[in-house]
Amino acid sequence: MEGLIHIYTGTGKGKTTAAAGLSIRFAGSGGKVLFTQFLKNDDSSELAVLRQIGNIVFLPSNAYFGFTRSMTPEVKENASRHYNNYFTKILGEVFSNNYGLLILDEIIAADNAGLVEHNRLIDFLKNKPDNLEVVLTGRSPSEDLQHMADYISDIVKVKHPFDKGISARTGIEQ
């Protein structure tokens, strides 16, 4: 099977949930999944279940720097160094093992914030293993990422409780 590139984007809730769902489907068919997350604290609720599924490997980033819009230049520099090293670790894992699906959750946001080297991401997508399916999530993917994608799902917020001041709830948004 030829591995294709997916983008889950948009203002709506559900990009990570869609990636988790595809991971479960892929693992359920016997495929091996590598699930990674950028800009998150490695403890969202879906990870508790994904970690229990034998064919899914979660590679934590082991760091959280807060929202990109709140980062000072110093924090952003540290985050950039960390996430570029994390991406290197992900690539080593991908090219050393026979994964069929790679989830790069919120890598688009990390790319947009300059926290991963854009050209490295593009180069990886151009030279990924032929059978590797890759999912990138996050808002506002660059034009070149959109051009490379085989699937783009735009999850649009029509209404969300946050607009009424309701914070993220465990098991629903986190």
Side-chain angles (χ1 to χ4, degrees):
M1 176 174 82
E2 177 186 355
L4 303 179
I5 298 170
H6 306 236
I7 292 177
Y8 299 159
T9 190
T11 58
K13 171 191 168 324
K15 295 176 286 291
T16 300
T17 303
L22 183 60
S23 296
I24 292 166
R25 173 181 285 163
F26 196 82
S29 73
K32 189 173 175 184
V33 179
L34 178 61
F35 199 101
T36 68
Q37 290 189 312
F38 293 77
L39 303 173
K40 293 187 175 179
N41 61 7
D42 297 334
D43 70 352
S44 58
S45 298
E46 66 270 11
L47 298 178
V49 171
L50 294 179
R51 285 180 169 125
Q52 295 175 33
I53 300 172
N55 289 6
I56 299 177
V57 173
F58 175 68
L59 183 64
S61 77
N62 294 319
Y64 179 63
F65 299 91
F67 291 109
T68 56
R69 66 180 175 267
S70 303
M71 289 181 187
T72 65
E74 181 181 40
V75 170
K76 191 171 182 179
E77 185 178 321
N78 290 335
S80 177
R81 188 171 25 262
H82 173 79
Y83 287 122
N84 278 294
N85 288 336
Y86 180 52
F87 190 54
T88 298
K89 187 175 181 179
I90 292 166
L91 297 183
E93 182 72 14
V94 164
F95 286 106
S96 298
N97 294 290
N98 191 26
Y99 291 99
L101 175 62
L102 170 63
I103 306 296
L104 296 168
D105 188 34
E106 288 300 340
I107 196 165
I108 294 171
D111 179 42
N112 290 340
L115 302 179
V116 293
E117 293 175 33
H118 181 74
N119 291 336
R120 279 185 76 208
L121 177 57
I122 296 299
D123 186 56
F124 164 67
L125 293 173
K126 287 179 180 175
N127 298 296
K128 68 177 187 59
D130 291 338
N131 65 331
L132 182 67
E133 202 86 4
V134 179
V135 174
L136 302 90
T137 74
R139 295 180 182 192
S140 305
S142 63
E143 285 187 33
D144 49 354
L145 285 176
Q146 291 181 56
H147 180 74
M148 295 182 78
D150 298 290
Y151 297 87
I152 299 177
S153 296
D154 189 8
I155 301 170
V156 178
K157 179 190 89 161
V158 175
K159 188 175 183 180
H160 194 288
F162 183 78
D163 299 333
K164 296 190 294 188
I166 299 172
S167 297
R169 297 165 301 142
T170 300
I172 304 299
E173 288 89 17
Q174 60 182 0

